[in-house]
Amino acid sequence: MATTALEHAPAHHEEATGIWSWITTVDHKRIGIMYGVTAFLFFLLGGLEALVIRMQLWGPDGRLVSAEVYNQLFTMHGTTMIFLGVMPLSAMYFNYMIPLQLGARDVAFPRLNAFSYWVFLLGGLIINASWFFGAAPNGGWFGYANLTSAQYSPGLNIDFWTVGLQILGVASLAAAVNFFVTVINLRAPGMGMMHMPMFVWMSFITQILLLLSFPIITVALVLLMIDRSFGTHFFVPAGGGDPILWQHLFWLFGHPEVYILILPSFGIVSEILPVFSRKPLFGYAAMVFSGAFIAFVGFGVWAHHMFSTGMGPFADAFFALATMIIAIPTGVKIFNWIGTVWGGKLEFKTPMLFALGFIAMFIMGGLSGVMHASPPADLQQTDTYFIVAHFHYVLFGGAIFALTGGAYYWWPKMSGKMLDEGLGTLHFWLMMIGFNLTFFPMHIVGLNGMPRRVYTYSAESNFELLNKMETVGAFLLGLAMLVFMWNILKTWRSHQPPAPADPWNGATLEWAIPSPPQHFNFPALPRVHGRDALWEMKRVAGGTLPEPTPVAHDAVPMPNPSWKPLVAALGVAITLGGFIGGSHLWVHAVGLVVLFYGVYAWAFEDPFAATGH
Amino acid sequence: MATAHAHADDHHYTATGIDNRKLAIWTFIGSECMFFASLIGTYLVYKGRDVVGPKPHGEWLLNGVAQEQMLEIPLVTFGTALLLFSSFFVVLALNGAQKGNRKQLIGWLLATIVCGVFFVGMQVYEFNHFAHRGMGYTTNLFSSTFYTLTGFHGTHVTLGLVWLVSVLVVALRGKLPPEKALNLEMAALYWHFVDVVWIVIFPVVYLIR
């Protein structure tokens, strides 16, 4: 049957290319690539902001930037890395890999998926447009009211922040609904929930966290925006408002958010380790339930960010204990990863190096995390560089290491090219050394009392040597990024043979189809009977499967491209953008008209209508 | 895997048998619960913490003159009843759509929409009346939290009405056959949700002193 299909695939019937085909695409793989490219550019921008911060702190009494600019730099560094770097990089893998690993043709709602991407892009651009007004957000990524209320932040800075984050929230919620439904409903026939690849499981739990936590930050941002635009007193003490409510609402979102950042990485590592150890994941069920437990308890620990507000001994004890309990399921995961590697036939390819590096670095971040779960210790450590060291060990040593490992692991599938192993190894070691050189000394200066978010330190403080080490480390990290980009460029332009469908002897369904996959992924939906579906198929076939052959591009009807999601996304961005610098009724009105037009055109569009080509 | 044959019904395949769109609406409703929980939480945290101005229950002073309590419970009770009935009516409309009974579908859908419009009208009257009695948006914490909470609910009701009217137009043009009844069911699920949220807001704001 495959031969007849091949005859039906003339060269001029290839998939559409060109800019318009990308703007109107509803293909989860293209949208995944768009998320990846956009997020990587924002990630580089966030990295440059960090390098300026490190140059400012090279020596005592640094004069590279003013205190005002420094505030904008650390605020935008945090906001960018969290909302425009790590989250959308995870979203790249959600988009590209969840349907493939499920054995599905696309996500449940392809046009909604495009909408999510466009809203994300516009939100990111609006926040960063603030630089051109010289008014980048400057209230920290947590935007504590009433510091961010109109009285103390009268400029446009915080407006860009509240509006941008609300727009990004719309993107995250739309995507979360989409992927939640995709995972539940689009599993290949026979794939039970407890057969799903671990990356899909961890991503699924992440969607639940997104669904339940983003509405909370939305309400907080709306109230702050109303305070700033209309003069209400939600967070203004003079009118009876309570700034502590902001902290509760923010961290009720903010703590689940850290699991939103790390759980997809747990999933990526759980994919890489078994493949390069030639062993199934150890303790599959324990991995699923520990992930679910982390997410559940993650909603009951938010006030450990607020010990210094003086909540009293009962609340302090409750949140300290809840926080420490999270160490248990996290420990279960770490032992399961070690159990996976234990006794395996290890292959130290680049993805494996990053996955192992992830485990080591994440343990260190976890240990310092347990330290400030204790209120007395936290009261000493809060607002010092010790905290900065901690969350960089979990978010950089954790999330970024795993996301980078995922890039090396899935690059052949997404691009059809193999990355260079030598450069990959160099990238890993530069990043490992640079990372520890940057962030380990922060533990020490932090415990010695160096405060966060202050633009200089004095010569008498004796922080200089350690800060110089940190700055050198940060530039090593920049160099590691350059090596990565060189690796991409070099292999992209090389004339190497296309990557095989299954370069790593993978266990999951994305490796069953050509690299890169055809538009519809699977000519026929695969039938699955258990975990590690592809390993099982290979075992039944006697060890290996033949290289899959492409079939006619129109063998499976797929939804048409659509520009309506982009129009609806513009509507969202314009409507909310009207809240920058007060409330501009005509901007809201224009935005609503565009939004309603986009939504109606979208709702009454038949995605499978004949296009007349 | 090697077959190039596409199954015609692959596009309707779901692992659970539940339609994707229906599951999506339930998922969205789950998320919306947290949105309203946060607004209701904010209202409760700030209840009774006003520095000046109008109170929801009991007398309050304006320039030394005693004023009556703000909330008009009988009026809003009537509006609440309308909203509750509309949830019942939309079920009858959906039943009509599923059976292919056009008269039942359009009649009860119209009744649902009329009740919804009266509810929004009641809220517009209430807001105007309050503004007339000197309670602006920024007057005090009660006014801000009250207008924000009930205003966001009213916006949801209004969007629900826009959705129901759109479905009505489709039905009037004869384009809502029984196999497409899900198009009404999704709007109806959202409508029930908006109704359930009001069942929480009504006692929290109007009945509990």
Side-chain angles (χ1 to χ4, degrees), chain A residues 51-115:
Chain A
L51 286 181
V52 178
I53 291 175
R54 285 314 325 162
M55 288 196 286
Q56 164 77 5
L57 297 176
W58 169 254
D61 303 313
R63 299 206 159 189
L64 182 64
V65 295
S66 64
E68 288 75 26
V69 172
Y70 189 85
N71 288 347
Q72 300 181 11
L73 282 169
F74 74 70
T75 301
M76 284 303 285
H77 170 69
T79 304
T80 302
M81 287 307 194
I82 290 166
F83 294 101
L84 306 176
V86 173
M87 282 179 75
L89 283 173
S90 300
M92 160 176 72
Y93 295 126
F94 298 159
N95 267 283
Y96 209 104
M97 290 305 156
I98 287 178
L100 296 188
Q101 292 202 321
L102 290 174
R105 298 239 164 86
D106 207 318
V107 294
F109 303 101
R111 287 175 295 172
L112 185 65
N113 203 20
F115 171 78

Side-chain angles (χ1 to χ4, degrees), chain A residues 585-606:
Chain A
L585 266 182
W586 64 272
V587 182
H588 303 319
V590 169
L592 283 174
V593 169
V594 175
L595 175 62
F596 271 84
Y597 173 72
V599 167
Y600 273 88
W602 173 354
F604 289 99
E605 175 186 63
D606 176 7

Side-chain angles (χ1 to χ4, degrees), chain A residues 185 187 211 230 234 242 557 600, chain B residues 11 13 15-16 20 31 46 166:
Chain A
N185 259 357
R187 283 167 288 131
L211 287 166
F230 303 119
F234 286 110
D242 190 348
Y600 273 88
Chain B
H11 280 293
Y13 163 82
T16 55
N20 285 336
S31 191
Y46 284 151
S166 308

Side-chain angles (χ1 to χ4, degrees), chain A residues 429-498:
Chain A
W429 285 109
L430 273 178
M431 200 155 124
M432 191 64 162
I433 295 165
F435 168 74
N436 281 290
L437 195 58
T438 310
F439 297 105
F440 196 83
M442 290 188 187
H443 290 109
I444 302 165
V445 287
L447 287 180
N448 285 338
M450 181 168 170
R452 299 168 68 177
R453 307 182 200 109
V454 175
Y455 77 116
T456 52
Y457 53 91
S458 66
E460 305 92 77
S461 57
N462 280 328
F463 296 145
E464 188 178 353
L465 177 66
L466 289 167
N467 270 285
K468 281 199 159 46
M469 285 166 66
E470 292 165 14
T471 304
V472 171
F475 276 90
L476 278 182
L477 287 173
L479 185 63
M481 268 306 131
L482 290 177
V483 170
F484 182 44
M485 289 190 279
W486 169 241
N487 198 346
I488 291 172
L489 204 70
K490 188 188 139 194
T491 52
W492 193 263
R493 286 165 37 172
S494 77
H495 297 289
Q496 53 161 301

Side-chain angles (χ1 to χ4, degrees), chain A residues 1-2 4-5 105 108-109 173 176-177 180-191 210-213 215-219 222-223 226 230-243 245-246 249 299 509 512-513 522-527 537 549 551 555-559 596 600 604 608, chain B residues 1-43 45-46 49-52 137-141 143-149 152 159 161-167 169-170 173:
Chain A
M1 273 185 280
T4 53
R105 298 239 164 86
F109 303 101
L173 279 172
V177 170
F180 183 87
V181 175
T182 301
V183 171
I184 288 191
N185 259 357
L186 295 191
R187 283 167 288 131
M191 186 187 279
L210 284 164
L211 287 166
L212 298 180
S213 68
I216 307 172
I217 180 84
T218 304
V219 166
V222 165
L223 297 182
I226 292 173
F230 303 119
T232 51
H233 303 100
F234 286 110
F235 303 118
V236 180
D242 190 348
L245 178 67
W246 168 271
L249 290 173
F299 270 101
L509 290 170
I513 52 176
F522 299 91
L525 295 184
R527 299 300 190 264
M537 286 176 194
T549 43
V551 302
V556 181
M558 292 299 287
F596 271 84
Y600 273 88
F604 289 99
F608 289 97
Chain B
M1 294 293 306
T3 77
H5 174 68
H7 297 274
D9 54 337
D10 276 354
H11 280 293
H12 297 286
Y13 163 82
T14 66
T16 55
I18 302 169
D19 190 280
N20 285 336
R21 292 176 296 161
K22 193 164 169 177
L23 191 56
I25 287 291
W26 279 107
T27 312
F28 174 67
I29 286 173
S31 191
E32 285 266 88
C33 284
M34 295 304 286
F35 182 82
F36 279 104
S38 306
L39 285 174
I40 292 169
T42 303
Y43 180 86
V45 165
Y46 284 151
R49 284 170 67 167
D50 309 291
V51 184
V52 289
Y137 188 41
T138 60
T139 305
N140 65 359
L141 274 179
S143 76
S144 306
T145 51
F146 170 83
Y147 284 128
T148 306
L149 173 58
F152 265 110
L159 285 176
L161 281 171
V162 171
W163 195 351
L164 287 173
V165 168
S166 308
V167 176
V169 171
V170 171
R173 292 157 101 197

